[in-house]
Amino acid sequence: MHFMKKLVPALLCTSMSLYAHAQKVVEPTHINPDWTKTYQPFCIVGNLYYVGTYDLASYLITTPSGHILVNTGLASSADVIKKNVESLGFKFSDIKILLTNQVHYDHVGAMAAIQQMTGAQFMVDAADAAVVKTGGKTDYELGGEFSTFKPIKISRELHDRDVISLGDARLVMLHHPGHTKGSCSFIMDVKDGSKTYKVLLANIPTIIVSKQFSEVTKYPQIAADYKYTLDTMPKVQFDIWVAAHASQFDLQRLRGEKDGYKPELFMNREGYDKRIEKIRKEWEEKVK
């Protein structure tokens, strides 16, 4: 009995230590400085706003019934996004739905914190749900011993062409796997006075593996998923497009020193098609 009294606390201590170890979050430290550099928030078109950092794009979609936030950047971005949202005149606490283009730490790093701050529902492509629950540990490329972001409570798992509605906003999720198993884009109609624009929040399917696709044993369908995405994305019709990284749609070059409201700056179909074609050539090399 005396032995058990000593053993039980020891077991409890060990168990708690293992649990804490399993929950440890280690966000990579060697990051692009543009990911944390601040950027002035602005209105893209209608009720769609840019509220992210210099390169990590976060989008606020406002409605009379509350708001939708797409992507949250790194863990350190929570307060930055809050400040940006409030500087535009909106209540951060009115965010009701959280979405993401992909579940890498540079896009969902602050998601759990913002969910706690706002009480918003997090919705994610079903193919990325398992990685969300482990905080990135089970990601085929960036996974490892520790989580790279805090696990997030999922309210709804999404599938291709599912609709996310809030107030007068209606987003359609487009399944664009490859970069992650559940990478996705969102397309929506945005009203601007008498005009209506079809806007794509795109996940550009960059290839992050250095090896051939046949060697990626943790994601055996990676080549086929990329092919599906590269075949599908050129067929998407839109008026305006933006992406998960500002650099992917040349935000700073397009805007320059312009502070005014200019939705036409983002009607860059040629830039979109060139991005996809460039990745297609990389894909061809990876399947050889």
Side-chain angles (χ1 to χ4, degrees):
M1 181 67 76
H2 180 67
F3 170 76
M4 287 300 293
K5 284 181 179 179
K6 288 185 177 180
L7 179 61
V8 170
L11 286 173
L12 286 173
C13 183
T14 301
S15 177
M16 289 174 68
S17 175
L18 288 172
Y19 178 78
H21 180 76
Q23 295 298 305
K24 186 174 181 179
V25 176
V26 180
E27 188 177 79
T29 55
H30 299 291
I31 59 173
N32 185 333
D34 286 346
W35 289 3
T36 56
K37 184 179 177 181
T38 58
Y39 192 77
Q40 186 71 26
F42 69 97
C43 180
I44 298 170
V45 60
N47 64 332
L48 175 65
Y49 298 83
Y50 187 96
V51 294
T53 63
Y54 193 85
D55 186 54
L56 295 181
S58 295
Y59 299 102
L60 184 73
I61 301 157
T62 63
T63 86
S65 302
H67 314 315
I68 300 171
L69 182 68
V70 184
N71 301 329
T72 65
L74 300 168
S76 61
S77 297
D79 290 336
V80 174
I81 293 172
K82 182 176 186 292
K83 181 180 179 181
N84 286 346
V85 169
E86 292 176 344
S87 72
L88 291 168
F90 302 107
K91 288 184 178 180
F92 193 68
S93 58
D94 283 343
I95 295 174
K96 305 299 182 186
I97 295 175
L98 298 169
L99 301 171
T100 189
N101 287 118
Q102 44 154 298
V103 295
H104 282 155
Y105 69 94
D106 53 329
H107 301 285
V108 294
M111 195 69 76
I114 291 178
Q115 183 180 57
Q116 186 173 16
M117 294 162 72
T118 63
Q121 294 186 329
F122 176 59
M123 304 179 187
V124 66
D125 188 304
D128 266 347
V131 174
V132 167
K133 293 171 184 176
T134 65
K137 286 178 66 175
T138 52
D139 181 87
Y140 75 92
E141 180 66 13
L142 302 184
E145 183 180 0
F146 301 117
S147 297
T148 52
F149 59 87
K150 188 175 180 180
I152 311 150
K153 179 183 177 183
I154 299 172
S155 297
R156 179 185 173 191
E157 293 186 11
L158 302 168
H159 300 85
D160 191 39
R161 296 286 170 177
D162 274 355
V163 176
I164 303 102
S165 297
L166 181 66
D168 53 5
R170 182 179 182 274
L171 287 75
V172 178
M173 192 204 83
L174 305 177
H175 182 56
H176 289 153
H179 187 76
T180 67
K181 294 179 181 180
S183 289
C184 60
S185 304
F186 301 95
I187 195 161
M188 60 185 291
D189 287 337
V190 175
K191 292 183 179 180
D192 177 28
S194 60
K195 296 180 180 179
T196 299
Y197 297 92
K198 190 166 289 295
V199 180
L200 178 69
L201 309 182
N203 188 79
I204 299 300
T206 52
I207 298 172
I208 58 175
V209 293
S210 57
K211 59 186 80 170
Q212 296 298 102
F213 284 144
S214 59
E215 300 175 87
V216 186
T217 56
K218 292 182 179 180
Y219 188 2
Q221 74 273 27
I222 187 171
D225 276 1
Y226 264 113
K227 184 178 187 304
Y228 166 81
T229 296
L230 293 168
D231 287 346
T232 301
M233 291 191 76
K235 298 174 184 176
V236 179
Q237 298 301 310
F238 54 82
D239 301 307
I240 288 171
W241 78 282
V242 290
H245 283 269
S247 55
Q248 291 175 335
F249 65 102
D250 297 322
L251 171 62
Q252 285 77 32
R253 182 184 65 80
L254 292 173
R255 289 194 81 217
E257 299 302 319
K258 306 177 186 71
D259 290 326
Y261 178 66
K262 295 186 179 296
E264 64 272 15
L265 292 176
F266 307 105
M267 296 179 181
N268 183 21
R269 179 79 208 201
E270 182 182 2
Y272 174 87
D273 289 337
K274 283 183 177 179
R275 288 274 177 186
I276 302 303
E277 185 57 31
K278 180 177 182 292
I279 296 168
R280 181 181 294 280
K281 290 177 181 178
E282 294 174 4
W283 176 85
E284 290 171 352
E285 291 297 318
K286 293 291 183 184
V287 295
K288 284 184 179 179

